[in-house]
Amino acid sequence: MLEGEFELAGTVLSRGIAIGSMFVLDSEENLISEVAISEGQIELEIERYRNALLQSRHDIEQLKVKLENEGISEGALVLEAHVHITFDPLLNAKMEDEIRKTSKNAEFVFQNFMQKYSNRLKESLHPSFHERVEDVYDITKRVLEYLHKSCKLPFDNLPENAIIVCHSMTPSKAAEASCRTSCAFVTNHGGRMSHTAIIARAKGIPYVTHVDVSQVFSKIVEKVIIVDGFQGKIIFNPKEKTIEQYNALQKKFKLQFDRFQSDNSTGVKTRDGTKVSLLANVEIIDDFSELKSFHPEGVGLFRTEYLILRKGSIPSEDEQYFAYKKLCLNMKDYPVVIRVFDLGLDKVVHGFQALSSDIMTKDGSRTLRFLLNEQELFISQVRAILKASLHADVRILLPMISTLSELRHAKELIEIARTSLLDDGILIRNIKLGCMIELPCAAMISDQLAKECDFISIGTNDLIQYALAIDRTSYSASSLFTTTHPGVMRLVKIIAERGHNVGIPVCVCGEMASDPRFVPFLLGLGIKELSVSSRFLPIIRKVVQNITLSDAKEVAKKVLELSLADEIHEILVQSVQKYIPQSIMNHFL
Ligand code: PEP
Ligand code: MG
């Protein structure tokens, strides 16, 4: 046992302080925790198990065919036996009954169940049964892997102030967390621009990564731990005095933050009178009171794929319509930009072959390209959006566009959706269509794209990832994820210029817009729409209100003359410090 206070260092992805009970979700070895499942969730849990079994069987069958084609008939025979086992009633009806009977999570039930199964085989007197133990082990591992990937966090059952400690956290898990119960995330792996980090910041949940917690998981005496999401450390077995100190610090920061947040004016202008629209990025639409408390002037980016990620399957057209309508009714007089499903890389749906990371990575069939292949899905989403457009000024946004033909193809499908609604006698409006520019190739043809759409939105997160060849979800590469790279600055300038030359609005909806340092630069490029994570609206508003457009232009000019990322960083920090006190900046940077 590790007694006495000690700390582990990590890297901060979302700022803040949390004091709470450690809730270990899994360890490096994927330990499976026992979780009680509520009555209403049991059939969904069984469905999750069925999917895992189905996927595993599918994988084995494919592997078998591959071996057959390669002439490895012995291996194919072994896999034939594995396929056979997956049809065993034990793994089907019996296992499903066991989930119902125990009301526990599928992986926990399955692991115990298979353990007993292989024990029985081992104890059997017949040697041929002993040989099957390895097969059972193999299948168990396969199914558990699928279950583990699709594992839903039992957030409903979490105690208040749970600090979630796990190997890595997917965006869908983070999306489920509520700040009431989950007061911090601590992981081994995570990148600053990952969707998980974006969500943690949006929810105000402190998040520290690159913490090597696997060594101490089981050896810690006290469950209460402290997450210092300013200095990047986790304090285990904290002394009473340390807890008191952190309690005081937490109160002080909250006071500073609340005082700062209290200015929520809309109709924001620069000091010399230029109107700037400050919109919100939205992922989850459970609770609008929090979003509204920051007074956005509309939604500049609704990441609809979270409807899929949270459900674990594709919502029907009606389900989507109700979700979009809810958002529209809450944003009534303001614009609502609905981005069509942007799936791929870390935003994948486990248990669905076409939406798995393998397929999306290998075939490049992700985000808009995926939708253009899955026309029915795209058309039904557009139908749902068009129907909801009666309730607000709705616009459609196409993610990760790479060619003009994709834009034209998307338009054709949108037209099919429109016509089908008119044929159904449903009233709809003409709505605006925008392109997300988040690939360097799209930046270079942004003038051509701009001529055939109504607005442009710059997705700096992916733009940087693809321009610098750095995985945004990776911790180890995060020091190379240089937002201030001169090449990135120039790409943003090119897109803004080309969009404005054609006469259409240009918005920035990537994290660059939520970072106060970049506001002078972006305004200096003539950008007048920023869509930001809602908790960052007050600080961005403050910068806009305190700056003049001529100062902003001066900053942009200087930035574009520099050739080193560090120098650009320096200029940006220096210029924003004129408008925001350092103590407040500490909350955000
Ligand atoms: C972006 O890439 O900048 C963006 C806003 O989209 P997402 O973060 O959802 O990929
Ligand atoms: Mg993107």
Side-chain angles (χ1 to χ4, degrees):
M1 281 294 160
L2 292 166
E3 289 176 34
E5 183 175 304
F6 71 100
E7 52 187 59
L8 292 180
T11 304
V12 179
L13 297 185
S14 172
R15 297 200 161 218
I17 285 171
I19 306 165
S21 308
M22 179 166 72
F23 183 89
V24 180
L25 192 71
D26 60 4
S27 72
E28 183 100 40
E29 301 82 38
N30 284 346
L31 276 183
I32 286 162
S33 21
E34 177 180 351
V35 180
I37 303 291
S38 66
E39 180 96 20
Q41 297 291 311
I42 288 186
E43 287 311 310
L44 288 176
E45 197 60 12
I46 290 176
E47 187 63 32
R48 195 164 71 83
Y49 169 70
R50 271 187 209 141
N51 272 331
L53 189 63
L54 225 92
Q55 288 289 332
S56 308
R57 182 181 302 144
H58 180 77
D59 288 353
I60 306 170
E61 276 166 346
Q62 279 198 332
L63 213 61
K64 189 183 135 230
V65 173
K66 188 168 170 269
L67 290 190
E68 276 166 356
N69 290 344
E70 287 168 7
I72 311 173
S73 54
E74 261 184 37
L77 276 175
V78 172
L79 294 178
E80 172 90 53
H82 285 201
V83 174
H84 206 67
I85 295 176
T86 64
F87 283 104
D88 191 319
L90 212 69
L91 266 73
N92 292 277
K94 280 235 165 78
M95 175 55 206
E96 291 177 13
D97 278 352
E98 193 70 9
I99 299 179
R100 279 191 200 97
K101 216 163 65 200
T102 55
S103 305
K104 294 278 161 60
N105 53 323
E107 43 275 76
F108 179 76
V109 177
F110 181 69
Q111 197 184 36
N112 284 344
F113 199 72
M114 295 307 270
Q115 186 66 51
K116 282 186 206 149
Y117 184 25
S118 61
N119 285 348
R120 273 212 310 275
L121 290 175
K122 276 187 218 157
E123 284 158 13
S124 154
L125 294 175
H126 207 297
S128 70
F129 283 147
H130 297 184
E131 283 158 21
R132 286 185 65 191
V133 173
E134 213 170 300
D135 300 335
V136 169
Y137 177 73
D138 200 316
I139 292 166
T140 309
K141 238 180 108 221
R142 229 176 245 285
V143 176
L144 280 177
E145 235 175 74
Y146 272 110
L147 281 173
H148 202 77
K149 280 185 198 164
S150 68
C151 160
K152 280 204 164 270
L153 273 184
F155 278 124
D156 292 348
N157 300 329
L158 282 186
E160 273 203 19
N161 286 343
I163 294 177
I164 303 188
V165 181
C166 57
H167 185 55
S168 64
M169 172 89 86
T170 61
S172 54
K173 286 178 184 168
E176 272 189 51
S178 97
C179 350
R180 187 183 53 80
T181 49
S182 322
C183 66
F185 302 151
V186 178
T187 65
N188 281 65
H189 292 290
R192 187 167 164 73
M193 286 302 159
S194 66
H195 291 96
T196 305
I198 291 176
I199 289 182
R201 290 195 289 273
K203 292 187 174 196
I205 297 177
Y207 177 12
V208 178
T209 192
H210 208 226
V211 182
D212 186 12
V213 279
S214 52
Q215 306 302 320
V216 291
F217 272 152
S218 51
K219 304 184 193 119
I220 292 157
V221 179
E222 283 291 333
K223 278 272 181 199
V224 170
I225 60 171
I226 297 172
V227 175
D228 182 340
F230 286 103
Q231 298 194 56
K233 57 186 184 186
I234 317 297
I235 304 168
F236 296 91
N237 302 334
K239 291 186 198 131
E240 220 25 68
K241 202 166 136 249
T242 315
I243 296 182
E244 272 167 31
Q245 276 170 356
Y246 270 97
N247 261 325
L249 212 58
Q250 201 179 28
K251 277 200 192 104
K252 184 180 144 203
F253 283 134
K254 183 166 172 2
L255 214 71
Q256 266 181 352
F257 190 77
D258 288 349
R259 201 174 299 142
F260 182 71
Q261 300 287 71
S262 61
D263 172 21
N264 272 318
S265 42
T266 49
V268 180
K269 287 184 179 156
T270 59
R271 232 172 60 211
D272 47 356
T274 303
K275 168 86 187 75
V276 178
S277 295
L278 296 185
L279 311 151
N281 289 350
V282 172
E283 291 81 30
I284 316 294
I285 48 166
D286 294 342
D287 175 15
F288 283 96
S289 56
E290 161 104 354
L291 173 66
K292 284 182 173 174
S293 73
F294 297 110
H295 296 271
E297 295 173 59
V299 169
L301 172 65
F302 177 35
R303 293 179 159 108
T304 57
E305 58 279 4
Y306 280 89
L307 296 174
I308 300 183
L309 295 175
R310 286 190 75 193
K311 189 170 184 240
S313 61
I314 295 165
S316 67
E317 187 177 310
D318 275 350
E319 278 174 291
Q320 288 185 53
Y321 166 63
F322 290 124
Y324 306 147
K325 182 178 163 190
K326 187 171 160 191
L327 179 63
C328 290
L329 291 177
N330 274 281
M331 285 290 137
K332 233 177 191 151
D333 304 319
Y334 288 124
V336 174
V337 177
I338 301 183
R339 178 175 76 183
V340 290
F341 299 136
D342 181 30
L343 292 159
L345 294 178
D346 64 334
K347 288 188 288 189
V348 293
V349 188
H350 298 295
F352 288 84
Q353 189 68 4
L355 302 178
S356 72
S357 58
D358 273 6
I359 298 280
M360 291 191 157
T361 312
K362 280 191 214 131
D363 299 359
S365 168
R366 58 182 84 140
T367 129
L368 184 64
R369 282 194 290 248
F370 166 73
L371 287 180
L372 295 178
N373 286 334
E374 298 288 327
Q375 302 197 353
E376 255 177 57
L377 176 65
F378 184 59
I379 290 172
S380 84
Q381 180 173 29
V382 172
R383 277 175 57 100
I385 298 174
L386 288 173
K387 282 191 271 183
S389 71
L390 290 182
H391 306 284
D393 172 10
V394 171
R395 297 148 195 206
I396 293 180
L397 183 59
L398 303 173
M400 218 169 270
I401 196 148
S402 60
T403 65
L404 194 58
S405 336
E406 283 169 6
L407 172 59
R408 290 180 181 161
H409 189 182
K411 279 180 159 179
E412 280 165 21
L413 297 179
I414 292 172
E415 195 43 43
I416 294 178
R418 273 175 52 80
T419 320
S420 72
L421 285 171
L422 291 174
D423 288 348
D424 291 347
I426 298 171
L427 208 68
I428 47 167
R429 281 189 188 155
N430 269 338
I431 69 174
K432 292 185 175 148
L433 178 67
C435 289
M436 262 190 104
I437 306 294
E438 45 186 348
L439 295 176
C441 65
M444 300 321 287
I445 56 161
S446 47
D447 48 343
Q448 296 167 346
L449 293 168
K451 281 182 197 146
E452 299 194 20
C453 70
D454 304 304
F455 66 98
I456 268 177
S457 195
I458 310 180
T460 50
N461 309 336
D462 280 310
L463 186 65
I464 298 170
Q465 152 162 276
Y466 292 106
L468 301 185
I470 297 299
D471 179 354
R472 63 192 270 194
T473 65
S474 151
Y475 165 76
S476 47
S478 59
S479 62
L480 300 172
F481 198 96
T482 326
T483 315
T484 53
H485 190 296
V488 171
M489 303 288 97
R490 286 171 192 213
L491 276 173
V492 175
K493 177 196 174 242
I494 287 173
I495 304 165
E497 212 167 58
R498 295 187 177 179
H500 290 144
N501 282 347
V502 175
I504 61 168
V506 178
C507 176
V508 177
C509 64
E511 290 293 281
M512 190 183 276
S514 300
D515 185 335
R517 287 177 305 161
F518 288 92
V519 174
F521 170 70
L522 296 175
L523 298 188
L525 295 181
I527 291 170
K528 297 192 184 69
E529 277 183 30
L530 302 174
S531 189
V532 312
S533 181
S534 60
R535 291 174 60 79
F536 291 70
L537 277 167
I539 192 164
I540 301 300
R541 185 175 288 126
K542 195 62 106 206
V543 182
V544 173
Q545 284 169 332
N546 287 343
I547 201 171
T548 61
L549 207 56
S550 48
D551 279 352
K553 280 185 181 153
E554 197 53 40
V555 174
K557 185 168 171 285
K558 273 192 206 154
V559 163
L560 292 165
E561 280 163 2
L562 295 171
S563 33
L564 295 177
D566 288 348
E567 294 170 347
I568 294 176
H569 170 81
E570 271 307 303
I571 287 282
L572 294 179
V573 171
Q574 269 174 27
S575 59
V576 82
Q577 270 171 353
K578 291 189 223 152
Y579 313 114
I580 303 286
Q582 190 58 45
S583 59
I584 296 298
M585 290 277 274
N586 284 342
H587 285 286
F588 298 94
L589 294 180

